[in-house]
Amino acid sequence: MPYAETKQRSAELLRLIIPLLSRHEAACNPMTFALWYEYMAGLNMPLKQAMDRIIDEDKTLTDSQAEKLYRLHIMGRDDEAQDKYESDFKRLVGEVSGAATQAEVKASDYVSALGRHGSVLQNPEGSEAVAGVMQALLNDTLMVRKSVGLLSDELKASLKEVEELRKELERIQDQALIDPLTGVKNRRGLERVVEDLQAASKSGLSGCSVIMADIYHFKQINDSHGHMLGDKVIRSVAQLLVAAVKGQDTVSR
């Protein structure tokens, strides 16, 4: 979600969050910081209530708890937002379809009116009858023009809203599939890649392979040099892997 806090407000939140990060067991990573940020800013009441229960029980926030809270109250919230945008897309399609149907009905009525007026003109009873037909044709033409104009305006407005929804949906989807620390795919992103591979080939995942890697003695790096250096190591390894892959290969954390 986009955050609207000013630099001064976010700096004050940072001052309040740092003692919390040091007091709890969970690593000081972007995921945990996002939890405490939304907690202290009062942006996410379900998350605040869940974290308050942990704090009230005199427990420290662990890595596993932080991951669960993040998935449920931050990533889960974005899933709800994605569902909303998909619903809005369906609504827009329905509105445009309804407007097009209405315009089609007006056009059909206009064609029928032309037929009736044509019959009258074939056997005119005088100048008054011709004048009446011409006036009716003018009125019907203006009505159809107005209907087409309304449809055009509605289509323009709908296309603009669709474009805004598309951009927002892309942002949400990208955020949900990317690991915030390294910028590579997260587990959900990897699952999406696997699903796409299965759908693209009749043989499923035949011919595909997975290479899993671990950073040896990584805990010693964190214990000896701190989590900030540990995060730099993780980012560096991720960048090396990204630089080494090619084609359809995917790096994920």
Side-chain angles (χ1 to χ4, degrees):
M1 65 170 288
Y3 296 106
E5 288 72 30
T6 63
K7 183 177 181 180
Q8 182 178 1
R9 170 61 174 160
S10 58
E12 176 63 17
L13 289 171
L14 176 62
R15 184 185 68 80
L16 297 172
I17 291 169
I18 288 177
L20 294 171
L21 289 170
S22 61
R23 195 157 59 237
H24 287 263
E25 182 181 333
C28 303
N29 53 39
M31 179 183 69
T32 309
F33 182 82
L35 291 175
W36 286 114
Y37 187 94
E38 296 202 8
Y39 174 85
M40 294 303 300
L43 301 175
N44 193 326
M45 288 307 297
L47 171 65
K48 187 177 188 307
Q49 292 169 357
M51 295 181 71
D52 279 339
R53 285 194 292 269
I54 294 174
I55 296 172
D56 290 343
E57 294 174 1
D58 294 326
K59 293 181 179 179
T60 62
L61 184 68
T62 64
D63 287 323
S64 61
Q65 288 174 324
E67 182 178 358
K68 290 179 181 177
L69 290 170
Y70 185 84
R71 289 184 178 279
L72 178 61
H73 295 291
I74 294 182
M75 291 180 65
R77 176 196 58 205
D78 287 341
D79 286 342
E80 292 178 0
Q82 181 172 334
D83 291 340
K84 176 184 178 299
Y85 289 118
E86 290 177 353
S87 175
D88 286 342
F89 272 124
K90 292 180 181 178
R91 174 183 55 79
L92 282 172
V93 171
E95 290 176 355
V96 172
S97 177
T101 300
Q102 187 175 9
E104 184 179 357
V105 170
K106 294 289 186 182
S108 178
D109 292 342
Y110 182 61
V111 172
S112 298
L114 287 177
R116 292 193 302 271
H117 299 322
S119 299
V120 174
L121 289 175
Q122 286 178 357
N123 300 291
E125 297 178 357
S127 59
E128 292 184 1
V130 173
V133 170
M134 297 303 295
Q135 185 62 46
L137 283 171
L138 177 61
N139 292 338
D140 290 340
T141 301
L142 291 174
M143 179 189 69
V144 171
R145 180 180 178 182
K146 181 179 180 181
S147 177
V148 172
L150 291 174
L151 175 60
S152 177
D153 291 341
E154 189 163 345
L155 285 174
K156 289 178 181 178
S158 297
L159 286 173
K160 182 178 179 182
E161 188 174 353
V162 165
E163 181 62 19
E164 292 174 353
L165 288 171
R166 184 189 64 78
K167 291 180 179 179
E168 185 65 16
L169 185 58
E170 285 182 352
R171 182 192 68 80
I172 292 172
Q173 289 175 332
D174 289 342
Q175 287 184 346
L177 303 178
I178 298 298
D179 173 59
L181 177 61
T182 60
V184 302
K185 301 284 188 184
N186 58 17
R187 186 176 69 181
R188 180 181 294 188
L190 178 61
E191 290 172 351
R192 179 68 60 83
V193 170
V194 172
E195 291 172 359
D196 292 342
L197 286 172
Q198 287 178 312
S201 175
K202 293 182 179 179
S203 57
L205 297 179
S206 177
C208 299
S209 60
V210 176
I211 300 175
M212 299 182 67
D214 191 16
I215 303 175
Y216 286 167
H217 310 302
F218 182 70
K219 187 176 185 303
Q220 294 181 14
I221 296 175
N222 281 335
D223 293 344
S224 301
H225 305 285
H227 288 284
M228 290 187 65
L229 181 62
D231 288 346
K232 289 183 178 180
V233 171
I234 294 175
R235 283 195 294 266
S236 296
V237 172
Q239 291 168 2
L240 288 172
L241 292 174
V242 170
V245 302
K246 57 183 178 180
Q248 293 184 326
D249 298 340
T250 300
V251 178
S252 69
R253 182 185 177 199

